[in-house]
Amino acid sequence: MDVFKSEFANPVKNCVYKGVYLGSNNSLQRLQSQRLVPANLGLKFGVSATATVETVKTELAAIPKLSHKWRCIQGANDWKNLLDPLDPILKAEIIKYGEFAQLCYDAFDYDSHSDFCGSCRFNPKKLLKEYGLRNEDYEITKYLYATSAASLPTFFRKSDSDDPWSTSSNWIGFVAVSTSEWEIERLGRRDIVVAWRGTVTHLDWLTDLQKSLCPSGLDPRTAGRSINGDVRVETGFLSLYTTKKETARYNKQSAREQLLTEIQRLTELYKGEQLSISLTGHSLGAALALLSGYDLAESGLNLKLGNAPSPSFNPSESMSLENIFDHEQELQHVDKDDKIPITVFSFAGPRVGNSAFRNRVNNLGVKVLRIVNVNDLVPKVPGVLLNEKFQFIHDWIDEVPWTYSHVGEELAVNNNHSPFLQLSLDPSCFHNLEAYMHLIDGYTGFGRKFSHSLSRDPALVNKNSNFLKRHLKIPGFWRQDKDKGLVRHPDGRLKFRGREPEDVLPYVA
């Protein structure tokens, strides 16, 4: 039987969620608008008997809620018993954070003809609404920028314009916070999200990796060293995160300084509330998510110590963070309940540091869930030959400057298991973030059959790839601007569309 035709080709007449009939598609939209049903829940399509709204509400109330188990979903128990089979609530949250990472791609201006190539297309107040992504539940509070002075030049895009918005900076992500009462109640806490931009398909940036580890320098108490040995990270990732340029309008502060300043502001603003910090990214963005998650914990910005002095960060004090938290001894004795949980949702992330880095991340209580496609090259680098799998020569291998180690728990998916995806030899297809979310959407557990009850349209896979089977009739690389951004001006000539005034570089770092 043709899976696509049986599941998706016909108009949806009835919707079922966890065996509960939700009526027609229009009825579902009505329930969602009335906040009786979450807007992002997964659905199964089929025919079922009618049910009253009261029945639906009763049945939904019996479903385990995220608010009751959010600490487990954020990795408090290292996702024990949640990955196999994959917990449906965890699946929905993984996809949610994946969509935040995907937004960093969708909203990025890649067109070198644009004066604003390398920036975000919309201002923070419009961005979520423009892409229909949880705009009622989250608010973007800060844009993050990185400078091309860092040692990953192929990662950056520059405008060919004679008068570009910037000659040395790129938009690289954002900080957002849950603001609606509905979302805070659903989550069981207020969530601070940090989303980092990575690489859509091209893997050229891998050639920029120096394949060498350097001291992180992010621990002010021990000058880059910890109780677990010399914490080292990939030179290129650290450069991207910490480099600033005094002459650059958007990078007088490094991406690191921009982030730490904003996290400090938000934790102070919402002091006394139940908070979480969730970092997400794909590819190189996943590396930045892990590096910054470690940095936040190492700097003590996730501490809530009651009457103790609050962490402070003064970006004018160069890269010295001694004033954030003064004593390593104090940090080691902080109870986990006095820390804001930090969780990294990593999609297709490369290795970032050595085994001492991994141990330090674990000791700091940072939880990392790595979602990997087993056929994707990027999670296998750096350290293809020398990595965490060679523990039998552990003592010697840690002395080698190019030895790397993954961090956290792994959730492995396989593109060969999806009946929607064609066989391919293109490594960029295996690495594509939309394909990753599709695979998570259909994943139920190791060795279990791929689910055909998907919450996301499979057509999204071909947004920036050509990975779907041909009989599905979804063109490859279908996402593009109308007329490639050209509009007819009053003089009758076609010219490149400019930005709306409110979208012109709203936040300066």
Side-chain angles (χ1 to χ4, degrees):
M1 178 181 291
D2 189 316
V3 173
F4 180 80
K5 290 184 178 179
S6 65
E7 295 286 343
F8 293 97
N10 297 322
V12 177
K13 295 181 179 180
N14 299 289
C15 300
V16 179
Y17 175 61
K18 290 185 178 295
V20 180
Y21 176 70
L22 301 180
S24 67
N25 202 33
N26 291 336
S27 300
L28 172 63
Q29 293 173 358
R30 176 173 54 82
L31 289 170
Q32 289 175 331
S33 67
Q34 294 173 354
R35 294 303 177 97
L36 300 178
V37 177
N40 65 332
L41 54 72
L43 297 173
K44 292 192 297 184
F45 302 134
V47 179
S48 178
T50 59
T52 64
V53 171
E54 286 70 25
T55 300
V56 172
K57 292 170 65 176
T58 300
E59 295 289 343
L60 287 175
I63 298 172
K65 294 182 178 179
L66 171 58
S67 60
H68 295 165
K69 55 189 295 188
W70 72 267
R71 289 187 179 275
C72 293
I73 296 298
Q74 293 294 110
N77 299 319
D78 297 318
W79 295 280
K80 183 178 180 180
N81 300 323
L82 294 178
L83 301 179
D84 190 18
L86 182 58
D87 181 270
I89 296 178
L90 175 58
K91 175 189 289 191
E93 289 300 290
I94 291 173
I95 291 175
K96 179 187 79 174
Y97 291 114
E99 288 177 336
F100 278 123
Q102 181 64 44
L103 180 61
C104 293
Y105 291 140
D106 293 345
F108 186 72
D109 191 339
Y110 292 92
D111 197 328
S112 60
H113 296 93
S114 168
D115 292 344
F116 301 98
C117 179
S119 69
C120 182
R121 295 172 181 270
F122 300 98
N123 74 57
K125 296 186 181 301
K126 290 175 59 177
L127 180 57
L128 295 177
K129 184 176 182 180
E130 286 291 334
Y131 289 92
L133 184 64
R134 314 187 69 85
N135 60 292
E136 295 179 354
D137 298 329
Y138 281 81
E139 175 184 329
I140 293 177
T141 64
K142 180 77 172 179
Y143 277 174
L144 303 172
Y145 297 90
T147 174
S148 57
S151 57
L152 287 172
T154 59
F155 176 70
F156 287 87
R157 301 298 296 263
K158 293 184 179 181
S159 172
D160 295 334
S161 169
D162 293 332
D163 186 26
W165 72 284
S166 175
T167 59
S168 57
S169 296
N170 268 196
W171 178 67
I172 199 172
F174 60 83
V175 181
V177 63
S178 54
T179 52
S180 74
E181 293 183 7
W182 158 264
E183 183 68 1
I184 293 171
E185 180 180 359
R186 185 186 77 85
L187 294 173
R189 82 283 184 190
R190 188 184 296 274
D191 188 31
I192 299 172
V193 174
V194 181
W196 294 99
R197 181 174 65 83
T199 46
V200 183
T201 54
H202 299 294
L203 306 181
D204 295 344
W205 63 272
L206 289 174
T207 63
D208 288 337
L209 294 182
Q210 298 180 22
K211 299 180 180 62
S212 63
L213 293 156
C214 64
S216 74
L218 302 180
D219 182 354
R221 293 164 292 280
T222 53
R225 300 186 63 84
S226 75
I227 57 175
N228 299 299
D230 194 1
V231 175
R232 293 175 175 267
V233 296
E234 159 59 37
T235 304
F237 300 151
L238 185 64
S239 172
L240 184 64
Y241 184 54
T242 60
T243 300
K244 59 184 176 181
K245 189 175 181 180
E246 293 296 335
T247 58
R249 180 183 176 191
Y250 295 89
N251 277 111
K252 296 182 186 301
Q253 293 181 358
S254 65
R256 181 200 186 203
E257 291 170 319
Q258 297 165 46
L259 174 65
L260 267 59
T261 301
E262 182 63 8
I263 295 299
Q264 181 195 0
R265 186 185 73 83
L266 291 175
T267 53
E268 285 290 331
L269 179 63
Y270 299 113
K271 189 174 182 179
E273 294 189 30
Q274 191 73 261
L275 300 175
S276 65
I277 300 175
S278 305
L279 303 102
T280 184
H282 168 256
S283 190
L284 191 149
L288 291 174
L290 176 54
L291 185 60
S292 57
Y294 156 71
D295 189 21
L296 290 171
E298 192 72 275
S299 301
L301 285 176
N302 67 323
L303 302 182
K304 44 181 183 179
L305 298 180
N307 296 325
S310 300
S312 59
F313 174 65
N314 184 352
S316 65
E317 296 187 4
S318 185
M319 298 305 293
S320 177
L321 303 180
E322 287 88 348
N323 58 328
I324 285 185
F325 202 82
D326 293 329
H327 304 292
E328 177 77 11
Q329 289 283 340
E330 292 180 64
L331 185 59
Q332 292 301 313
H333 292 91
V334 174
D335 188 87
K336 66 179 182 179
D337 292 332
D338 291 325
K339 293 182 180 181
I340 299 170
I342 296 177
T343 307
V344 178
F345 292 91
S346 165
F347 296 84
R351 295 184 179 92
V352 173
N354 62 356
S355 60
F357 172 74
R358 177 197 62 207
N359 295 338
R360 184 60 175 159
V361 170
N362 292 337
N363 289 340
L364 287 168
V366 177
K367 301 301 180 179
V368 182
L369 182 59
R370 298 187 299 106
I371 299 93
V372 302
N373 179 358
V374 297
N375 298 307
D376 187 3
L377 169 67
V378 173
K380 298 177 173 63
V381 298
V384 175
L385 298 179
L386 296 176
N387 55 59
E388 73 284 348
K389 297 179 181 179
F390 295 87
Q391 291 304 302
F392 61 91
I393 50 174
H394 179 276
D395 292 339
W396 172 80
I397 209 169
D398 275 349
E399 298 300 321
V400 180
W402 54 85
T403 300
Y404 292 80
S405 180
H406 269 310
V407 181
E409 302 299 315
E410 179 179 280
L411 175 56
V413 293
N414 190 332
N415 57 274
N416 292 328
H417 294 168
S418 170
F420 299 91
L421 304 181
Q422 63 180 329
L423 296 177
S424 175
L425 297 177
D426 184 352
S428 66
C429 287
F430 309 146
H431 188 58
N432 185 275
L433 178 54
E434 286 287 2
Y436 263 76
M437 288 190 283
H438 166 74
L439 293 173
I440 287 294
D441 201 8
Y443 182 81
T444 54
F446 181 78
R448 292 176 172 83
K449 189 175 181 180
F450 192 89
S451 174
H452 297 156
S453 300
L454 304 176
S455 63
R456 305 184 82 249
D457 191 337
L460 291 169
V461 171
N462 269 13
K463 181 192 294 183
N464 290 298
S465 72
N466 191 20
F467 204 7
L468 290 174
K469 291 182 175 179
R470 291 189 177 184
H471 73 271
L472 302 182
K473 299 181 179 179
I474 304 296
F477 301 93
W478 54 257
R479 183 184 180 274
Q480 56 184 304
D481 291 336
K482 182 180 179 181
D483 299 327
K484 292 192 174 181
L486 293 178
V487 294
R488 194 172 298 279
H489 283 234
D491 62 5
R493 293 183 177 275
L494 291 172
K495 300 179 183 178
F496 201 82
R497 179 178 58 247
R499 291 278 177 89
E500 295 295 328
E502 67 268 22
D503 293 326
V504 177
L505 315 178
Y507 283 6
V508 178

